[in-house]
């Protein structure tokens, strides 16, 4: 009987003390997991390297010439009959804002060979084919706008994107002219400096720290000349260099 009474008393004590003990523990709210915020590309600097194949075209070359030498030499236009082909390599340094807008400065070495004009028999003994080689150092300041193909805005590791751009600067040209072996007065080679500008369009893929793209660049060179004085001058105005160009960019902060 005494054991039964003791068991009843223990059970009653537990019923009374349970709520009191529970009240001593604080009621913590559930833990909520907050995902990391993707801020995309913050402002970042980058290095870039490029390589391209190119084709050079211009309407005509100008030189002092006389037909049959029956009078003084005058400025004469000779249409180009063949395009020149070559390559370019370059490097640059730039900054992107993270909004798609970026700017950079680039320095490219351009080599192109094969532009050709032909002087007819009326210019004998200076008649024949004349070919030109252009070697140019092209310094440009450029601005671009990158836009995402995914529709989620532009950001780091943003995948496929397109871009448009424009640039302006100077071209330091070396103009080498090969004259016919029979010419008694071969055309001179030489150097000149000219205004240059560019327009770019292309597509690429953003891997995060590294960005790759392929695109078209059209480079306008106002004048290519041998820099000679007087009647030895040979020049070409409004020249266009067409390039298919691949570029790698490396971001760093």
């Amino acid at each position: 009987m005494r054991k039964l009474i003791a068991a009843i008393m223990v059970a009653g004590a537990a019923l009374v003390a349970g709520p009191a003990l529970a009240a001593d523990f604080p009621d913590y709210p559930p833990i909520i997991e907050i995902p990391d915020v993707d801020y995309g590309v913050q402002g970042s600097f980058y290095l870039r390297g490029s390589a391209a194949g190119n084709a050079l075209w211009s309407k005509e070359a100008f030189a002092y010439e006389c037909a049959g030498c029956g009078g003084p030499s005058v400025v004469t236009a000779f249409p180009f009959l063949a395009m020149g082909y070559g390559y370019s390599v370059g490097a640059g340094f730039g900054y992107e804002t993270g909004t798609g807008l970026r700017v950079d400065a680039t320095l490219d070495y351009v080599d192109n060979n094969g532009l050709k004009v032909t002087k007819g028999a009326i210019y004998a003994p200076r008649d024949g084919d004349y070919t030109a080689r252009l070697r140019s150092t092209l310094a440009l300041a450029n601005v671009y706008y990158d836009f995402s193909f995914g529709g989620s805005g532009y950001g780091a590791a943003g995948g496929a994107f397109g871009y448009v751009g424009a640039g302006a600067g100077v071209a330091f040209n070396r103009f080498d002219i090969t004259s016919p072996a029979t010419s008694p007065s071969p055309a001179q080679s030489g150097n000149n400096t000219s205004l240059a500008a560019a327009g770019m369009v292309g597509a690429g893929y953003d891997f995060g720290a590294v960005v790759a793209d392929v695109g078209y660049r059209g480079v306008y060179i106002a004048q290519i000349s041998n820099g000679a004085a007087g009647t030895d001058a040979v020049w070409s105005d409004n020249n266009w260099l067409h390039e298919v160009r691949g570029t790698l960019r490396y971001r760093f902060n």
Side-chain angles (χ1 to χ4, degrees):
M1 186 65 178
R2 282 181 293 180
K3 291 182 179 181
L4 179 61
I5 294 172
I8 293 172
M9 292 179 64
V10 170
L15 290 173
V16 173
L21 290 173
D24 292 337
F25 292 97
D27 185 15
Y28 292 105
I31 298 174
I32 300 174
E33 295 289 340
I34 301 176
D36 293 334
V37 177
D38 180 8
Y39 293 102
V41 176
Q42 305 290 308
S44 60
F45 293 95
Y46 62 86
L47 295 173
R48 60 172 293 159
S50 301
N54 63 48
L56 178 62
W57 178 252
S58 186
K59 180 181 179 182
E60 55 199 2
F62 296 91
Y64 286 87
E65 191 53 273
C66 62
C69 288
S73 296
V74 295
V75 175
T76 306
F78 296 94
F80 281 112
L81 303 179
M83 298 180 71
Y85 297 92
Y87 69 93
S88 70
V89 292
F93 177 79
Y95 180 80
E96 56 184 323
T97 64
T99 64
L101 184 67
R102 58 185 168 94
V103 295
D104 61 33
T106 55
L107 194 66
D108 291 271
Y109 170 75
V110 175
D111 194 331
N112 184 281
N113 197 13
L115 274 177
K116 183 178 77 171
V117 301
T118 299
K119 291 184 179 181
I122 60 172
Y123 298 106
R126 296 173 304 281
D127 58 324
D129 293 336
Y130 292 74
T131 59
R133 179 184 182 186
L134 171 67
R135 287 173 289 174
S136 182
T137 299
L138 191 64
L140 295 175
N142 309 286
V143 60
Y144 312 83
Y145 183 73
D146 300 332
F147 51 92
S148 173
F149 286 153
S152 58
Y154 183 74
F161 69 95
Y163 70 89
V164 293
V170 293
F172 303 94
N173 304 314
R174 172 69 184 180
F175 197 37
D176 294 318
I177 305 170
T178 301
S179 303
T182 57
S183 175
S185 53
Q188 295 185 15
S189 299
N191 308 302
N192 83 303
T193 301
S194 172
L195 171 70
M200 293 80 77
V201 62
Y205 198 90
D206 185 347
F207 296 94
V210 176
V211 182
D213 71 68
V214 176
Y216 165 80
R217 181 172 75 162
V219 180
Y220 171 77
I221 302 176
Q223 186 178 87
I224 300 171
S225 168
N226 65 355
T231 56
D232 291 325
V234 179
W235 69 97
S236 176
D237 294 328
N238 302 318
N239 309 276
W240 281 95
L241 188 72
H242 303 280
E243 293 185 318
V244 176
R245 192 171 183 232
T247 299
L248 285 177
R249 286 186 276 135
Y250 175 73
R251 292 187 177 113
F252 62 93
N253 290 316

